[in-house]
Amino acid sequence: MFEKLSAVEDRYAEIGEKLTDPSVISDNALYRTLMKEYKTLTPLVETYRDYRKAAADREEARSLLEEGGLDRDFREMVEEELHAAGEREQAAAEALRILLLPKDPNDERNVIMEIRGGAGGEEAALFARSLLRMYSMYAERCRWKVEVLSLNETELGGVKEVSFSVAGEGAYSKLKFESGVHRVQRVPETETQGRIHTSTVTVAVLPEAEEVEVEIAPEDLKIDVFRASGAGGQHVNKTESAIRMTHLPTGIVVECQDERSQFKNREKALKILRSRVYEQKQREADEKLASQRRSQVGTGDRSERIRTYNYPQSRVTDHRIGLTLYKLDAILDGDLDELIDALRTAEQTEKLQAQQEGF
């Protein structure tokens, strides 16, 4: 496992020197590229150094004990150091195994999230609004930037569907686990007999694609312009500024009517479309690698029920890893760290098992 770590450390030192070179500092693009690589390598190199230090301390303590001639108190101290250094070495080795696991190439990307009300009508739309708020508050905690790209509301303040971008470091690495069907169990305000209703909302998390990665030719697009309308069909715009964009090769359709400007709606629709095309291409590539194990945290399929939010019991259950937390209000206020950390750990465990079994 550690064969290439010495070369990685050499590369790390090389980049560190280059980052102090005035010619590199003056080249903005090169400096950013090197800084990104340096930042990526830092935890790996630091952990490798911890591992080597612990191994050296353990070896020194072992040598002292083998030489003998130590008084009782010093011998006890050396034995304690041998044990402590061994534990540090083992912990660092385990951390290195995790750091050396294959990375999801999309982990550092920004994302586009899409939330749609499913079964349950208005109640599902109201919960979709709650999820939009939850993710927005989580993004705020992570110091990420959220921009609503397309929003279709109901008359009662619910959300039929919404698309929004989340920009920030490691956004996809954390939010990718949110793809799937979210189920809510609660008593609607309109329910007079106190019966619990079950509704569903689907969430899709798409890695944001760069223009250079997904080239969409103008002739592959069919663009319809129409008048934007509000909740319940009320016209809120007298000009035809809303955009319906159809990607002819894939059949993917995107609508955007949030902005008064046709140009801005077109720009946002293209951003969403590019990410959907990128996701579809990726999904097709993944299906070709069907021999690989699927992660136990789920396939990310939107039809897969991943989580239940039970209001009467203040309970949130993630069905992929069997985790139940009794802090519904905190989670809906954006406190998702415990859930996401558990899902990331489960993914790492699955990868480690696959690595050990030779997959």
Side-chain angles (χ1 to χ4, degrees):
M1 180 176 71
F2 305 115
E3 289 173 5
K4 296 182 180 178
L5 286 172
S6 180
V8 169
E9 189 176 29
D10 290 343
R11 172 62 180 162
Y12 183 74
E14 181 191 343
I15 297 171
E17 286 183 17
K18 285 183 176 179
L19 288 172
T20 62
D21 186 332
S23 64
V24 171
I25 294 170
S26 63
D27 187 335
N28 211 18
L30 177 59
Y31 185 82
R32 278 203 312 269
T33 301
L34 288 173
M35 182 57 80
K36 185 177 180 181
E37 186 180 355
Y38 190 81
K39 195 173 181 181
T40 301
L41 293 178
T42 296
L44 184 60
V45 171
E46 288 180 349
T47 307
Y48 178 49
R49 288 172 178 171
D50 290 344
Y51 170 80
R52 285 192 318 185
K53 175 71 166 60
D57 290 346
R58 180 184 56 77
E59 186 57 32
E60 184 181 354
R62 188 187 61 78
S63 296
L64 283 170
L65 290 171
E66 285 180 354
E67 286 173 10
L70 307 177
D71 64 47
R72 182 181 170 185
D73 288 345
F74 188 54
R75 181 179 179 83
E76 285 180 359
M77 188 175 73
V78 173
E79 285 174 344
E80 285 179 9
E81 174 58 22
L82 177 68
H83 178 71
E87 287 191 337
R88 293 201 314 273
E89 182 183 10
Q90 188 175 354
E94 188 59 32
L96 281 171
R97 286 189 187 94
I98 291 171
L99 286 167
L100 288 168
L101 287 173
K103 296 284 191 297
D104 185 329
N106 293 318
D107 273 352
E108 295 307 312
R109 288 180 184 269
N110 298 331
V111 303
I112 289 179
M113 297 188 71
E114 298 179 338
I115 302 174
R116 290 183 175 81
E122 187 63 41
E123 179 64 11
L126 289 169
F127 188 61
R129 168 73 72 181
S130 298
L131 289 186
L132 172 60
R133 176 180 176 274
M134 178 180 80
Y135 292 126
S136 298
M137 294 183 77
Y138 178 63
E140 191 176 327
R141 286 169 179 252
C142 296
R143 298 184 178 180
W144 296 335
K145 181 185 175 185
V146 174
E147 181 189 7
V148 173
L149 302 174
S150 177
L151 176 64
N152 187 353
E153 299 175 291
T154 67
E155 289 181 336
L156 299 180
V159 170
K160 289 180 183 176
E161 58 182 331
V162 59
S163 298
F164 58 100
S165 64
V166 183
E169 188 176 334
Y172 186 79
S173 70
K174 294 183 178 181
L175 291 171
K176 63 184 177 183
F177 300 110
E178 299 303 300
S179 278
V181 175
H182 295 244
R183 184 174 70 172
V184 59
Q185 296 172 327
R186 64 182 176 185
V187 179
E189 292 180 11
T190 53
E191 172 57 59
T192 55
Q193 298 181 30
R195 291 175 299 188
I196 296 173
H197 287 225
T198 298
S199 306
T200 60
V201 171
T202 61
V203 175
V205 183
L206 317 175
E208 188 173 308
E210 300 292 335
E211 192 171 347
V212 292
E213 294 171 312
V214 179
E215 189 177 340
I216 296 178
E219 60 267 23
D220 288 341
L221 287 178
K222 179 189 175 191
I223 298 175
D224 298 307
V225 180
F226 59 99
R227 187 173 297 177
S229 61
Q234 295 176 332
H235 288 293
V236 294
N237 196 337
K238 293 181 180 179
T239 62
E240 292 192 337
S241 61
I243 293 286
R244 182 183 299 108
M245 195 174 280
T246 305
H247 187 237
L248 299 174
T250 61
I252 294 172
V253 180
V254 174
E255 284 188 8
C256 198
Q257 57 176 320
D258 260 23
E259 303 284 349
R260 292 185 179 273
S261 158
Q262 185 185 124
F263 175 78
K264 285 185 179 178
N265 279 328
R266 184 188 179 110
E267 197 175 34
K268 286 185 173 183
L270 193 56
K271 188 175 185 178
I272 297 169
L273 180 64
R274 195 178 289 119
S275 291
R276 286 200 198 165
V277 171
Y278 178 80
E279 186 217 23
Q280 181 169 308
K281 286 183 176 179
Q282 230 189 0
R283 196 165 58 240
E284 289 169 357
D286 289 344
E287 285 167 3
K288 291 177 183 176
L289 302 174
S291 59
Q292 290 187 350
R293 282 187 161 192
R294 291 189 182 276
S295 169
Q296 78 178 68
V297 297
T299 62
D301 192 320
R302 297 179 207 178
S303 64
E304 180 183 15
R305 187 191 71 186
I306 63 165
R307 198 175 293 152
T308 295
Y309 305 75
N310 184 292
Y311 275 68
Q313 296 176 21
S314 188
R315 166 173 60 82
V316 176
T317 299
D318 197 289
H319 303 290
R320 296 163 292 182
I321 54 175
L323 175 65
T324 296
L325 301 173
Y326 289 89
K327 55 175 200 178
L328 176 68
D329 289 344
I331 287 169
L332 291 174
D333 283 341
D335 184 6
L336 295 176
D337 285 332
E338 191 172 354
L339 272 170
I340 288 173
D341 286 348
L343 288 159
R344 294 178 86 180
T345 300
E347 182 188 50
Q348 288 172 351
T349 302
E350 180 74 6
K351 284 181 177 179
L352 281 169
Q353 286 175 350
Q355 190 181 69
Q356 289 161 7
E357 292 168 17
F359 281 85

